[in-house]
Amino acid sequence: MNSGTPATTARSAPLYERVSSVIPAIEWPVFAKEIDAIIELKRMRNAVVLAHNYQTPEIFHCVADIVGDSLALAREAAKTDAEVIVLAGVHFMAETAKLLNPDKTVLIPDPAAGCSLASSITAADVRLMRKRYPGAPVVTYVNTSAAVKAESDVCCTSGNAAKVVRSLGERKIIMLPDEYLARNVAAETGADIVAWAGHCEVHERFTAAEVRALRQQHPGIIVLAHPECPPEVVAEADCAGSTAGLADYVARERPARVVLLTECSMSDNVAVQHPETEFIRPCNLCPHMKRITLAKIRRALESMTHPVTIDPAVAGRARAAVERMLAL
Ligand code: 13P
Ligand code: SF4
């Protein structure tokens, strides 16, 4: 094992205090060495690390400059003065950051960090949906490629999907590609939504029976669900929201015991900030998010890899769909 020196471990002691409840002490010297190097590289490169809420605690709490849900990462990417953005998340998030910062270098530490929703639909599919439902506006979840965004009227995230749908005031709306998000938003807004059959491979695994079993095993537990979960799961939950929405619920309501029906690292990251809350963890891992590691972030900053590029033929139209969402 390639451990850090006693000096790097000592320097990072205050950081370790933050995450000691979720990272075993024996793992820390390896992380400390990478964290030390990344902090120095960020300074040298005038770089910021934007990390999604599903990143592991050593990334989320120790090297990220900005953390949040997809909406917050898009907003913050649009604001930063840094020359280089390292997106610790999946490819569509890095692409969104690049759309909003065409003149900056946006790096994704592992370009294979995909998303089952993004790979469920192509630009040609969106064009077919438009033909089938003429005149219906197309709302595209940000969990899509730039080429798909370019075929859309406006983007949305899990944090603002209902708001975006209400803003259209249309009778029929096409919402792509997450079937469950679309059905959950239709239930919330009463809108007539045509969906696509894309699913998040992490959230589709939660079931209503699992929620009922959790309530029996842990009386009084608060169940929070991400809206990528099937509608029958959301119906059994106490509250549904984006990853930031779920974290805000815990911060606001301080439940004694909670379960977050979402990706595993989310509970670790929120638990660090709320030691008074007991987190029950029947979570599911996102293999794409887990491709991002401290070692890959370090390599990205050392060798300036992998820069995100967007086909100029789609970039302008994709940017307009994201900017329309941010303007709401
Ligand atoms: P949020 O926008 O809620 O962070 O969700 C992103 C995502 O990929 C959820 O699976
Ligand atoms: Fe995509 Fe689901 Fe992973 Fe989020 S958790 S990146 S929606 S596969």
Side-chain angles (χ1 to χ4, degrees):
M1 191 158 49
N2 194 4
S3 284
T5 62
T8 56
T9 307
R11 255 199 307 278
S12 65
L15 282 178
Y16 185 59
E17 234 167 82
R18 261 192 231 172
V19 291
S20 59
S21 60
V22 288
I23 297 180
I26 192 149
E27 291 178 14
W28 186 250
V30 180
F31 290 154
K33 182 183 167 207
E34 299 291 353
I35 290 166
D36 219 42
I38 291 168
I39 291 171
E40 178 56 15
L41 283 160
K42 283 198 296 183
R43 200 189 52 74
M44 271 171 53
R45 300 281 196 198
N46 185 16
V48 281
V49 174
L50 268 55
H52 184 259
N53 289 329
Y54 293 163
Q55 291 295 291
T56 47
E58 68 280 8
I59 295 174
F60 185 93
H61 288 288
C62 302
V63 299
D65 300 283
I66 291 157
V67 295
D69 63 0
S70 312
L71 182 60
L73 295 183
R75 285 198 195 289
E76 294 299 328
K79 280 191 221 157
T80 181
D81 294 330
E83 286 167 57
V84 177
I85 296 171
V86 180
L87 204 304
V90 292
H91 191 264
F92 76 80
M93 296 175 177
E95 233 181 21
T96 304
K98 181 66 181 176
L99 283 172
L100 296 166
N101 290 283
D103 300 329
K104 289 189 177 157
T105 302
V106 176
L107 304 174
I108 176 94
D110 186 334
C115 169
S116 65
L117 284 168
S119 58
S120 74
I121 191 160
T122 65
D125 293 329
V126 186
R127 288 193 290 270
L128 273 177
M129 289 296 272
R130 275 201 194 276
K131 272 203 190 128
R132 194 174 301 169
Y133 301 97
V138 176
V139 178
T140 293
Y141 198 29
V142 285
N143 299 37
T144 47
S145 65
V148 165
K149 289 184 177 76
E151 299 295 333
S152 319
D153 293 293
V154 59
C155 286
C156 74
T157 73
S158 59
N160 63 11
K163 184 176 171 184
V164 170
V165 163
R166 286 193 180 105
S167 77
L168 293 168
E170 304 274 344
R171 221 178 53 79
K172 193 182 278 294
I173 290 168
I174 301 170
M175 190 170 185
L176 310 167
D178 187 343
E179 180 189 0
Y180 297 148
L181 178 72
R183 283 170 52 196
N184 285 323
V185 171
E188 187 182 342
T189 60
D192 177 7
I193 296 183
V194 180
W196 185 252
H199 298 135
C200 163
E201 67 189 84
V202 175
H203 293 91
E204 71 176 348
R205 302 213 298 269
F206 292 108
T207 64
E210 196 177 351
V211 178
R212 289 193 289 273
L214 277 164
R215 289 202 193 276
Q216 275 199 334
Q217 286 158 18
H218 306 282
I221 194 167
I222 296 295
V223 179
L224 305 182
H226 193 278
E228 290 171 9
C229 291
E232 60 276 16
V233 171
V234 168
E236 296 270 350
D238 295 290
C239 182
S242 77
T243 55
L246 304 187
D248 289 348
Y249 182 102
V250 175
R252 196 175 59 244
E253 304 293 333
R254 307 281 174 124
R257 201 181 250 184
V258 72
V259 58
L260 307 183
L261 300 181
T262 190
E263 211 273 341
C264 298
S265 293
M266 178 80 194
S267 292
D268 284 341
N269 291 331
V270 182
V272 164
Q273 287 151 337
H274 299 285
E276 74 287 358
T277 293
E278 182 191 359
F279 287 78
I280 307 297
R281 303 178 192 220
C283 60
N284 292 325
L285 267 179
C286 174
H288 312 291
M289 287 281 178
K290 271 23 268 187
R291 280 181 171 274
I292 309 299
T293 60
L294 283 177
K296 289 183 190 172
I297 294 173
R298 176 184 182 168
R299 216 173 307 137
L301 282 163
E302 277 169 351
S303 54
M304 297 296 279
T305 51
H306 303 267
V308 175
T309 54
I310 299 175
D311 180 356
V314 301
R317 286 178 294 133
R319 184 177 307 117
V322 175
E323 283 176 345
R324 246 171 255 138
M325 167 186 85
L326 293 179
L328 281 173

